[in-house]
Amino acid sequence: MAPPRNVVKIAVQMRDAIPQLIRLDQAKPLAAVLKEVCDAWSLVHSERYALQFADGHRKYITENDLEAERLLGGLQCGSRERRRETLQHLVLLAPDMTFAQEVISRDGLQRLGTIIEDGDDLGELLALALRAFLELMEHGMVSWETLSIPFVRKVVCYVNMNLMDASVQPLALRLLESVTLSSPALGQLVKSEVPLDRLLVHLQVMNQQLQTKAMALLTALLQGASSTERKHMLDYLWQRNLRQFIYKNIIHSAAPLGDEMAHHLYVLQALMLGLLEPRMRTPLDPYSQEQREQLQALRQAAFDPEGESLGTGLSADRRRSLCAREFRKLGFSNSNPAQDLERVPPGLLALDNMLYFSRHAPSAYSRFVLENSSREDKHECPFARSSIQLTVLLCELLRIGEPCSETAQDFSPMFFSQDQSFHELFCVSIQLLNKTWKEMRATQEDFDKVMQVVREQLARTLALKPSSLELFRTKVNALPYGEVLRLRQTERLHQEGTLAPPILELREKLKPELMGLIRQQRLLRLCEGTLFRKISSRRRQDKLWFCCLSPNHKVLQYGDVEEGSSPPTPESLPEQLPVADIKALLTGKDCPHVREKGSGKQNKDLYELAFSVSYDHGEEEAYLNFIAPSKREFHLWTDGLSALLGSPMGSEQTRLDLEQLLTMETKLRLLELENVPIPEQPPPIPPPPTNFNFCYDCSIPEP
């Protein structure tokens, strides 16, 4: 009889005792199980004992833990070696929630805090005490705000000391980071006691763990500061060349970048870009003299590059009219540009971007504005409107103004490669927008479509995490509109499952059969025949001739016909060319009848429709020359002749027909698998049976 489900057999061992194999009834109270185990070993006070996993995480399976009391007693022992062993054991067991509750309830944190505050040993004992303290605090049973100011100041001293054990300072920095993030009051204390220069010293030490913890405390201090304080702190750090050091010695370090450091760099990037949020949230003030002058500077940079005064000698009304017209040419939707910049976001950040572009790339700015303002074919790209919308797009892609994620690691090295990285990114992006606008031959009605393509170009390139702005420029310019369309098509096919390995394998198996079907259609089309025009030396096309393939596919039959007459029967055609005599198929410029016709536009059209077959005529090589009436007829005839010669049919029409047939046939084959996920790999073949001593007698009827 099978044992009940709640009864399991487990082995229980204890030091200096013979192990037991017991039947554990999980329905029994744990205290009863412990009493039975203790009775077997003749132990009294079973309530003082606990069960602990011997393998893996070594967690306790009880709430009352004598081990906690024993370890805490060992912390007060005078022997340094005993205290070290006790702390090591405490660090090992502290992640266990049950054990941590027992330690904390017995004032374990206070005892560890005393060891840390006394600082009698600045080496291994202090590091073990800090680690055990951190592990216990990580359970969240005690708030970081309960820590005393003297305790926090003592930990700060460990961070600020010059000669300190390498294992202590990373733990002290980690503790201060948790304090700063959890307690605003203690965070202010840490900010006032730990100078930024000290953190810079830790960051420049070639110790990856110390660098990571110093970066963690730095980002915690920045997160806890006000926007004004954060700007001053970042300005000071940038003046001390922190950005250059991060880019050269952390991001491009020989050692791989850890996940924790990647997260802190993401936070630092988000805080750095977050400095733009006030400008993004502030609309343009039409009564601000400074902002009006900035708008005028933007207009003058485009239309008065030499600094000439607008409309010298003209009346005030005339000058205002000219100014409004030039703002329209600049791409503002309103004659008063302040109305365009009242929208938030992007607010004043869009104006900052436009001014930066006009001042740091003046030639590109003038070319953009003048090239589009002088066009009259409705294909002009409005600079101001594009800049405003592009600024909104960049803010969305870079998540400016959004809170930092607690787990994200997707920082971009490009933003640490140079100063003013956001404005520089805008300069590259606005030129990309103009390039994409031309590729799409867009009009004002297509503005939103262009912005969608530009969003995709920027998002795809940012996802590659280019290491510098120049690399970003190269990669984004290598992603033109046509490539975006191709990628969209590929992704759509992936979503439909068309490019899954089993589907691709099925398509490959179907190809020979479908290519045979296309070949058959091409030969039938040749048997039907086609009317071709003759081109004389005077470029006249007034003569017609008819050519077809014989039903047995062995002879090409052709001859002249009168215009307006019905197609002749194959038997009435006077000329014949055996297929066996055909040597080669020529197309385009290789054909003798268009080889020397020059390079005019009309000849280029003929090149696309011309084909010839060469054959032996006695001792000389002769040609039968064709000018197809349409591109489709050209593809059909060249495919058919290639099939007759045993060559592959490589026309564009064959590719399209094959794709259409493959798509239809594949969908028909997969009708019964609709909404059924198709695995990437085939299921494994089961192993063969141990023997083949079996048979099935078909003569015996089933019941």
Side-chain angles (χ1 to χ4, degrees), residues 17 130 173 267 379 400 431 455 503 516 558 645 686-687:
L130 284 168
L173 287 165
V267 174
H379 289 283
I400 296 176
Q431 295 177 75
R455 172 188 282 273
I503 305 301
Y558 59 96
L645 297 175

Side-chain angles (χ1 to χ4, degrees), residues 656-697:
L656 294 175
D657 291 347
L658 178 62
E659 182 63 31
Q660 186 177 9
L661 290 171
L662 280 172
T663 301
M664 289 192 299
E665 186 66 22
T666 304
K667 288 181 177 179
L668 288 172
R669 298 281 184 104
L670 300 178
L671 275 178
E672 296 182 359
L673 294 179
E674 189 174 1
N675 298 325
V676 176
I678 300 175
E680 293 286 327
Q681 300 294 334
I685 300 175
T690 55
N691 63 73
F692 293 89
N693 300 328
F694 55 87
C695 65
Y696 184 79
D697 191 350

Side-chain angles (χ1 to χ4, degrees), residues 159-160 190-204 214 217-222 225 229-238 240 242:
V159 170
N160 291 337
V190 175
K191 180 184 173 185
S192 62
E193 297 281 341
V194 180
L196 293 177
D197 287 328
R198 190 63 196 167
L199 292 179
L200 290 174
V201 170
H202 290 316
L203 282 169
Q204 293 171 5
L217 179 55
L218 177 61
T219 55
L221 291 172
L222 288 168
E229 291 175 330
R230 187 181 303 144
K231 185 178 187 310
H232 290 324
M233 292 170 68
L234 285 172
D235 288 343
Y236 178 78
L237 293 170
W238 264 218
R240 298 299 304 274
L242 175 63

Side-chain angles (χ1 to χ4, degrees), residues 338-480:
Q339 297 177 3
D340 292 59
L341 295 169
E342 288 176 352
R343 170 188 172 192
V344 288
L348 291 176
L349 186 57
L351 179 59
D352 294 342
N353 279 334
M354 290 188 280
L355 282 170
Y356 188 92
F357 183 46
S358 67
R359 292 168 179 170
H360 292 80
S363 58
Y365 170 69
S366 299
R367 185 167 57 252
F368 187 117
V369 174
L370 297 178
E371 176 184 288
N372 288 286
S373 63
S374 60
R375 299 185 68 168
E376 297 180 356
D377 55 359
K378 297 183 180 180
H379 289 283
E380 68 277 3
C381 178
F383 171 74
R385 183 186 177 191
S386 300
S387 299
I388 293 170
Q389 193 60 38
L390 181 61
T391 303
V392 175
L393 173 58
L394 290 175
C395 291
E396 291 175 355
L397 290 175
L398 300 175
R399 298 181 176 87
I400 296 176
E402 297 182 14
C404 296
S405 167
E406 295 183 0
T407 57
Q409 303 172 10
D410 54 340
F411 77 96
S412 178
M414 174 179 67
F415 290 102
F416 295 93
S417 66
Q418 66 182 77
D419 296 324
Q420 304 295 337
S421 54
F422 180 80
H423 296 312
E424 290 289 342
L425 175 62
F426 171 83
C427 293
V428 175
S429 302
I430 192 66
Q431 295 177 75
L432 169 71
L433 190 150
N434 191 34
K435 173 175 170 284
T436 304
W437 186 282
K438 294 177 186 176
E439 292 172 350
M440 296 178 65
R441 295 189 56 79
T443 61
Q444 294 289 339
E445 290 77 13
D446 302 319
F447 185 85
D448 291 338
K449 294 180 182 178
V450 175
M451 292 308 302
Q452 289 175 3
V453 175
V454 172
R455 172 188 282 273
E456 193 165 343
Q457 290 171 314
L458 294 175
R460 288 180 184 275
T461 309
L462 286 171
L464 299 175
K465 297 185 178 180
S467 58
S468 67
L469 190 70
E470 285 305 314
L471 188 58
F472 176 86
R473 188 196 310 271
T474 302
K475 289 184 177 295
V476 80
N477 285 325
L479 194 63

Side-chain angles (χ1 to χ4, degrees), residues 159 162 169 173 195-216 218 236-251 253 261:
V159 170
N162 288 323
Q169 285 187 325
L173 287 165
L196 293 177
D197 287 328
R198 190 63 196 167
L199 292 179
L200 290 174
V201 170
H202 290 316
L203 282 169
Q204 293 171 5
V205 174
M206 291 296 106
N207 179 329
Q208 197 170 32
Q209 186 183 17
L210 185 59
Q211 281 182 341
T212 301
K213 299 306 177 185
M215 183 65 74
L218 177 61
Y236 178 78
L237 293 170
W238 264 218
Q239 290 172 7
R240 298 299 304 274
N241 299 321
L242 175 63
R243 178 189 61 74
Q244 292 90 327
F245 181 83
I246 291 174
Y247 186 71
K248 293 178 182 178
N249 299 89
I250 295 181
I251 294 177
S253 170
M261 178 60 86

